[in-house]
């Protein structure tokens, strides 16, 4: 039985675990994070409206959250795909094997 010898100097196969998530799956995750942030912002606005006269410090903190959360949500949502990009392995130039020379003594 003819077996191909194992070569330790050969380049390793690419692992599937290093593959990026698909664009559809990444988009779905970013949309969920953005929706969650907007729900928290809505809760901040409701808390602000309910506590404005009774606890003004809480109302001001909720107002600050309602103002800052949209900016943070957009930045986080847009940064998702770029963070998953890693450095690609360098391309390996193919090795050129010269063709065998033809013999001049052809029948």
């Amino acid at each position: 039985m003819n077996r191909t010898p194992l070569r330790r100097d050969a380049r390793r196969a690419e692992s599937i675990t290093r593959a990026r998530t698909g664009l559809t799956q990444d988009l779905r995750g970013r949309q969920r994070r953005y929706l969650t942030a907007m729900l928290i912002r809505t809760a901040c606005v409701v808390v602000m409206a309910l506590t404005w006269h009774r606890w003004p410090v809480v109302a001001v903190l909720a107002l600050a959250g309602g103002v800052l959360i949209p900016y943070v949500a957009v930045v986080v949502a847009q940064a998702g795909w770029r963070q998953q990009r890693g450095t690609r392995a360098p391309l390996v130039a193919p090795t050129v094997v010269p063709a065998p020379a033809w013999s001049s003594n052809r029948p």
Side-chain angles (χ1 to χ4, degrees), residues 99-107:
W102 287 96
S103 170
S104 61
N105 302 356
R106 288 174 53 205

Side-chain angles (χ1 to χ4, degrees), residues 2 22-23 30-32 41-42 44-46 50 53 61 69 72-73 76 78 86 93-94 96 106:
N2 188 6
L23 184 58
R30 288 189 285 151
Q31 286 174 342
R32 284 181 183 164
R41 179 186 185 217
T42 304
C44 285
V45 171
V46 169
L50 294 176
H53 293 292
L61 290 175
I69 285 176
V72 173
V76 169
Q78 294 301 326
V96 178
R106 288 174 53 205

Side-chain angles (χ1 to χ4, degrees), residues 2-107:
N2 188 6
R3 289 187 172 180
T4 306
L6 294 175
R7 296 174 54 193
R8 291 183 187 252
D9 60 341
R11 189 162 177 231
R12 300 180 101 186
E14 194 69 29
S15 173
I16 192 65
T17 58
R18 292 182 58 195
R20 290 184 255 168
T21 58
L23 184 58
T24 305
Q25 186 179 4
D26 181 63
L27 182 62
R28 187 179 312 126
R30 288 189 285 151
Q31 286 174 342
R32 284 181 183 164
R33 286 191 301 266
Y34 186 79
L35 179 65
T36 303
M38 290 302 106
L39 289 173
I40 293 171
R41 179 186 185 217
T42 304
C44 285
V45 171
V46 169
V47 167
M48 182 203 63
L50 294 176
T51 62
W52 189 257
H53 293 292
R54 191 156 214 199
W55 299 295
V57 174
V58 174
V60 170
L61 290 175
L63 177 65
V67 170
L68 294 177
I69 285 176
Y71 173 75
V72 173
V74 169
V75 169
V76 169
Q78 294 301 326
W81 183 252
R82 289 190 192 116
Q83 288 178 350
Q84 294 179 4
R85 290 186 183 175
T87 58
R88 292 186 178 181
L91 296 176
V92 178
T95 56
V96 178
V97 179
W102 287 96
S103 170
S104 61
N105 302 356
R106 288 174 53 205

